[in-house]
């Protein structure tokens, strides 16, 4: 349960210097980061982007924090741009991130919650989309990927129907230079590697945060 979780009263109450040596807030957030594969792959490729993982499980969050600390020791000039925080991303996300402060949000292999009575537990839902649109700046990208076709259809439908998000296809993103991010989305995470080993399918769906509803 997450009843013991504490939340910052507002984003400016968070001391980011405990996460990033430059003390600046993150620009990208990996929601449900698991064991941190995406953070670790992207850190050296995007040294000027601060990326925060959010993870609800205590032991998993501790594992990622230890992993990053070890990488910082082994490579003193790298990995200062990634960090992890224990949080229920479905609650109080705007307490962590200022309005329009993020330029990318990642939802990689989120828990599928198969049963219909559990669908409200899904991390992509109409209510939460309003929060994601609030923290994401216009032009910012939401990346989703899953091996569960039903969840892909669900995320795709809800995101496509939300007036502030517009689908953006993989080729367009690659042409805009986001190829390394997409490659990491497909293959860098522990869940993505597991799907690969089991030769499962991967469904990608990406969306751009637009300024005004069309
Ligand atoms: N993204 C990682 C990957 O691709 O390997 C992890 C995928 S795993 C299937 C889903 C992760 O989301 C789990 O680590 C779980 O603890 C985390 N999670 C589920 N609900 C969450 C929530 N409300 N807030 C933060 N993390 C959550």
């Amino acid at each position: 349960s997450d009843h013991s979780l504490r939340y910052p009263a507002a984003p400016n109450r968070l001391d980011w210097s405990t996460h990033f040596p430059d003390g600046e807030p993150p620009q990208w957030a990996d929601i449900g980061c698991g064991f941190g594969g995406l953070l670790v792959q992207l850190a050296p490729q995007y040294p000027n982007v601060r990326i925060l993982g959010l993870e609800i499980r205590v032991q998993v969050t501790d594992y990622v924090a230890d992993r990053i600390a070890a990488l910082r020791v082994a490579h003193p000039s790298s990995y200062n741009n990634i960090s992890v925080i224990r949080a229920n991303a479905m609650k109080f996300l705007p307490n962590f991130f200022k309005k329009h402060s993020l330029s990318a949000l990642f939802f990689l292999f989120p828990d599928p919650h198969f049963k219909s009575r559990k669908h409200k537990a899904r991390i992509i839902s109409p209510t939460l989309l309003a929060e994601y649109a609030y923290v994401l700046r216009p032009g910012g990208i939401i990346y989703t990927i899953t091996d569960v076709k039903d969840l892909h259809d669900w995320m795709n439908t809800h995101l496509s129907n939300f007036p502030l998000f517009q689908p953006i296809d993989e080729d367009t993103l690659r042409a805009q230079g986001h190829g390394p991010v997409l490659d990491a989305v497909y293959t860098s995470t522990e869940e993505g590697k597991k799907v690969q080993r089991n030769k499962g399918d991967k469904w990608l769906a990406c969306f751009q945060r637009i300024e005004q509803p069309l």
Side-chain angles (χ1 to χ4, degrees):
S1 140
D2 60 13
H3 297 296
S4 61
L5 277 172
R6 304 195 62 214
Y7 301 88
N12 61 9
R13 304 291 289 274
L14 252 157
D15 178 6
W16 289 112
S17 68
T18 63
H19 289 278
F20 306 109
D22 65 9
E24 295 297 317
Q27 296 126 303
W28 296 355
D30 183 8
I31 307 295
C33 68
F35 295 93
L38 183 85
L39 302 169
V40 169
Q41 173 145 336
L42 292 181
Q45 291 182 294
Y46 294 90
N48 300 321
V49 181
R50 289 171 302 280
I51 319 171
L52 185 73
L54 286 90
E55 172 52 53
I56 198 167
R57 287 182 288 170
V58 184
Q59 289 91 340
V60 176
T61 310
D62 290 348
Y63 170 90
V64 177
D66 290 348
R67 186 179 181 186
I68 295 170
L71 283 166
R72 288 184 182 186
V73 170
H75 311 270
S77 59
S78 307
Y79 301 100
N80 287 313
N81 58 327
I82 54 172
S83 190
V84 67
I85 206 163
R86 182 178 174 229
N88 181 348
M90 298 173 75
K91 289 185 180 173
F92 309 119
L93 206 65
N95 290 42
F96 290 91
F97 305 111
K98 285 187 184 163
K99 181 180 179 179
H100 297 180
S101 64
L102 296 177
S103 54
L105 272 174
F106 298 91
F107 298 90
L108 309 188
F109 305 97
D111 294 326
H113 298 292
F114 288 105
K115 300 195 179 104
S116 347
R117 68 178 170 79
K118 298 276 277 176
H119 283 176
K120 61 179 182 312
R122 286 179 166 172
I123 201 104
I124 297 287
S125 75
T127 322
L128 289 170
L129 287 183
E131 294 198 352
Y132 303 146
Y134 176 86
V135 297
L136 209 55
R137 69 161 170 75
I141 307 289
I142 287 191
Y143 297 87
T144 77
I145 193 165
T146 176
D147 58 324
V148 179
K149 182 63 164 58
D150 175 56
L151 178 63
H152 169 71
D153 293 340
W154 164 280
M155 294 194 291
N156 213 2
T157 303
H158 285 293
L159 279 155
S160 298
N161 289 341
F162 196 83
L164 289 172
F165 295 118
Q166 194 178 290
I168 180 163
D169 62 43
E170 180 171 352
D171 291 343
T172 306
L173 283 168
R174 287 193 184 274
Q176 291 175 359
H178 300 294
V181 177
L182 286 162
D183 293 342
V185 163
Y186 273 110
T187 60
S188 71
T189 70
E190 287 64 24
E191 197 62 30
K193 290 188 202 302
K194 190 163 96 191
V195 174
Q196 202 114 331
R197 283 197 299 276
N198 300 334
K199 306 204 179 339
D201 293 314
K202 294 179 186 178
W203 283 281
L204 175 85
C206 304
F207 298 83
Q208 189 153 40
R209 183 1 176 145
I210 58 172
E211 188 91 46
Q212 293 290 333
L214 296 175

